[in-house]
Amino acid sequence: MQARRSFWAWGLETDEPTEAQRQETAARLSQRWGREISAPPLPKIEDIQLRPPRVSPPGPLAAICTTETHDRAAHSYGKSYRDTIRAVRGQFPNPPDVVAYPRTEAEVVAVMEWCDSGNIVAIPFGGGSSVVAGVEPPGGDRPCVSIDLRELNQVLEVDATSRAARIQGGVLGPHLEDQLRPHGFTLRHYPQSFEWSTLGGWIVTRSGGHYATNHTHIDDFVESTRMVTPKGIMESRRLPGSGAGPSPDRLVLGSEGALGILTEAWMRIQARPVFRASAGLTFDSWQAGYEAARQVVQAKLWPANLRLLDPTEAGSAAGLKGDEALLIIGFESAEVPQDWPIRQAVRLAREAGGRIEDEAIRISDGSDGSDEEVGRQGAVGAWRNSFVRAPYQRNLTAGMGVVGDTFETSITWDRWPSFDANVRAAMTGALQRVCGGGTLSCRFTHVYTDGPAPYYSFSGMGRQGAEIEMWTELKKAASDAVIANGGTITHHHAVGRDHMPWYRQQRPELFHSALKAAKSALDPKGILNPGILVD
């Protein structure tokens, strides 16, 4: 029997920690923080009590709908810190009334028509990995249906000549790659949530993935989109580029389920990489590291990976001593050897103060089968493993008082030094005020010629039972600091409901009026993800 997704944890039910593992974690935290920390019992689905469904699907849709407790609980939240705390406590006060699993686009249309005719809230649901309350039912008296697209999971067509593929929106990252692999292609988009996020979710949240430079957002891979709305289907023409007015795809990208449900898209794909090169350079200071990153990206060598870790993150996640910054550089190609670009990038980084031995620069042409190992050794490999496993670590500590999260943004290079100093000061002060201290680290997830996309992580020991209130204060401090210092409230995590107060400060008011008009035209009854993007 195939394992189910956990209704409270990241991953499958088989990924949930055991009670013994939780007890070990509590003991370790007790020793570290010098106080008694207990491991609260994990929730069991048979103990979860949900309010009765307020609506029933019509007969023709009954076969693809369910009101089972597990399905409704699993579709109540995304996977943010607050979501995990509420779920591990067994708190599900506002679940969807029905979960629908349409198997075809026609069934998506039928569910949409049912919701529209009955004034029922419709929440599009992909992998459920939102960290900004993007899939959470809103409050209010209207019943709610969560529309899970997991059955729309196929690569429908591959155009090898144009290097593009027509793909359904509900396909999870690993299954997408498994279907492209036999054709010799890859989408090559790897957000941290890759295992449990979908193509449609990537598109409507403007996901940031594998590439740290050049091709970064999913936007760069979209060739055309097809979206079901309450007023009908909107499909853009498949083209490599067009100057015919504002792009219809730009209305879909970042729409977060407020305008329609993306059922399929033509995506630009590429041949699977064979040539690879990787290097990790250390710097005496964070400042020297980010100056090196700027020099490399502005040379337009376009490394696939250009991640900078500050000394704190390099120490905790990459195994370094904690007093050096680490710049990770990676190149890859299906057609061209990567010896020259990696050496040019390393040269620029060395000139900015970076250190690396020549033998530590790893280059492969794939001929000996070792190309997949490039970038997976030493400090670079240690950080990669930590990055991939990070979402699972929260399963171990949930409900034990640890208050921690991340926030990401972007800023231009000229404002970056003061931005970083001000954000760090604000968050250090907030951690001291809320938790009596804690840790704050930063890395660059993406680097542009005109500025970096910094990704901050914070953690402190709070009080068991008060985690959400403490997290809320820290989240507000982070968001206030980002907006006050000129950054974007989100670089790739989307707006959702959590970021709306700061998104209102960032967006131009005339744009909001235009977006409201688009919402009214496509979703006149406001059934789609109310409270997202449009007030």
Side-chain angles (χ1 to χ4, degrees):
M1 182 178 176
Q2 188 175 9
R4 291 190 302 184
R5 287 284 301 275
S6 174
F7 74 92
W8 71 269
W10 182 267
L12 300 169
E13 289 179 331
T14 52
D15 294 315
E16 294 176 7
T18 65
E19 291 292 348
Q21 289 171 325
R22 294 262 294 173
Q23 293 294 341
E24 291 171 5
T25 300
R28 186 174 69 251
L29 290 173
S30 297
Q31 183 176 20
R32 176 183 175 186
W33 294 99
R35 70 173 84 163
E36 185 63 30
I37 295 170
S38 60
L42 295 178
K44 295 180 172 56
I45 194 63
E46 56 267 26
D47 297 331
I48 302 299
Q49 299 293 318
L50 303 181
R51 71 176 176 215
R54 296 169 294 182
V55 67
S56 298
L61 295 178
I64 62 168
C65 293
T66 180
T67 57
E68 290 293 325
T69 298
H70 181 277
D71 295 82
R72 293 175 67 201
H75 290 75
S76 294
Y77 300 129
K79 295 299 180 184
S80 72
Y81 174 87
R82 182 178 59 182
D83 296 338
T84 302
I85 295 298
R86 290 183 292 179
V88 81
R89 292 176 181 172
Q91 298 172 347
F92 297 91
N94 189 36
D97 297 278
V98 176
V99 179
Y101 296 97
R103 298 159 296 189
T104 64
E105 184 179 82
E107 290 181 343
V108 174
V109 171
V111 174
M112 184 85 77
E113 289 175 344
W114 167 45
C115 293
D116 193 52
S117 64
N119 196 27
I120 300 167
V121 168
I123 307 290
F125 193 98
S129 61
S130 171
V131 294
V132 291
V135 296
E136 182 176 330
D141 296 330
R142 281 200 293 178
C144 175
V145 175
S146 181
I147 305 175
D148 190 312
L149 300 179
R150 66 179 63 180
E151 299 297 326
L152 276 70
N153 58 18
Q154 297 301 302
V155 173
L156 300 173
E157 189 175 349
V158 174
D159 174 359
T161 302
S162 306
R163 291 195 174 181
R166 183 164 66 99
I167 307 169
Q168 291 183 307
V171 64
L172 291 169
H175 188 37
L176 167 57
E177 288 297 324
D178 287 345
Q179 293 179 78
L180 291 177
R181 191 174 293 107
H183 298 277
F185 291 112
T186 174
L187 182 61
R188 210 69 183 151
H189 185 77
Y190 294 113
Q192 190 175 30
S193 60
F194 174 74
E195 284 182 284
W196 301 113
S197 55
T198 63
L199 174 67
W202 299 342
I203 291 173
V204 301
T205 61
R206 299 187 65 197
S207 163
H210 172 76
Y211 288 101
T213 69
N214 202 18
H215 294 96
T216 57
H217 286 277
I218 196 68
D219 308 31
D220 302 313
F221 302 101
V222 173
E223 193 175 68
S224 73
T225 56
R226 183 176 171 91
M227 185 172 73
V228 174
T229 81
K231 295 296 286 185
I233 293 175
M234 186 175 78
E235 182 175 17
S236 63
R237 179 169 294 190
R238 184 188 164 209
L239 294 165
S242 172
S247 168
D249 296 322
R250 290 290 168 184
L251 191 62
V252 177
L253 284 155
S255 59
E256 299 191 29
L259 302 179
I261 297 178
L262 186 136
T263 54
E264 63 182 62
W266 274 96
M267 304 297 295
R268 300 178 179 97
I269 55 178
Q270 55 194 294
R272 300 189 68 80
V274 174
F275 302 98
R276 288 182 171 85
S278 177
L281 293 91
T282 57
F283 294 81
D284 287 333
S285 70
W286 171 233
Q287 292 77 9
Y290 62 66
E291 179 60 22
R294 184 180 71 84
Q295 294 288 344
V296 172
V297 73
Q298 290 183 342
K300 295 188 177 181
L301 294 166
W302 305 132
N305 198 357
L306 189 62
R307 305 292 170 94
L308 177 67
L309 282 61
D310 75 1
T312 300
E313 182 143 342
S316 62
L320 297 186
K321 295 178 294 182
D323 58 358
E324 297 174 308
L326 175 66
L327 181 65
I328 300 169
I329 306 175
F331 286 87
E332 62 183 33
S333 174
E335 296 88 4
V336 181
Q338 298 298 289
D339 179 277
W340 184 84
I342 189 71
R343 296 195 184 282
Q344 294 306 308
V346 167
R347 176 183 62 80
L348 291 169
R350 276 175 166 162
E351 290 174 356
R355 295 182 296 273
I356 186 175
E357 301 296 330
D358 286 341
E359 56 269 22
I361 302 173
R362 301 185 181 275
I363 301 170
S364 174
D365 63 4
S367 60
D368 59 359
S370 65
D371 58 300
E372 292 289 349
E373 296 304 313
V374 172
R376 301 192 180 191
Q377 306 93 352
V380 174
W383 177 82
R384 180 187 182 279
N385 292 336
S386 175
F387 174 78
V388 170
R389 294 300 303 172
Y392 292 94
Q393 295 305 306
R394 188 175 288 169
N395 298 347
L396 281 170
T397 61
M400 295 186 194
V402 177
V403 182
D405 207 348
T406 63
F407 61 98
E408 34 73 57
T409 183
S410 69
I411 193 76
T412 53
W413 287 115
D414 62 313
R415 293 178 293 167
W416 159 246
S418 61
F419 176 91
D420 184 49
N422 292 339
V423 169
R424 285 178 184 269
M427 284 309 296
T428 300
L431 282 165
Q432 186 65 41
R433 183 174 65 252
V434 176
C435 298
T439 60
L440 176 69
S441 66
C442 183
R443 68 176 182 267
F444 289 173
T445 58
H446 302 78
V447 187
Y448 303 91
T449 56
D450 53 345
Y455 189 107
Y456 294 90
S457 300
F458 63 87
S459 179
M461 179 50 69
R463 301 182 304 279
Q464 286 188 273
E467 292 100 334
I468 291 179
E469 293 77 11
M470 300 175 84
W471 170 86
T472 299
E473 189 172 348
L474 291 169
K475 176 72 174 176
K476 183 180 185 302
S479 301
D480 285 347
V482 163
I483 290 296
N485 286 283
T488 174
I489 190 56
T490 178
H491 174 262
H492 58 264
H493 281 171
V495 176
R497 292 174 177 82
D498 287 351
H499 287 155
M500 276 297 290
W502 298 277
Y503 176 64
R504 291 187 184 102
Q505 298 177 53
Q506 180 177 335
R507 70 188 179 198
E509 277 308 305
L510 280 177
F511 174 77
H512 179 228
S513 298
L515 191 58
K516 282 198 296 186
K519 171 80 168 175
S520 179
L522 297 174
D523 179 23
K525 295 181 181 177
I527 65 166
L528 280 165
N529 232 0
I532 298 290
L533 297 181
V534 177
D535 294 328

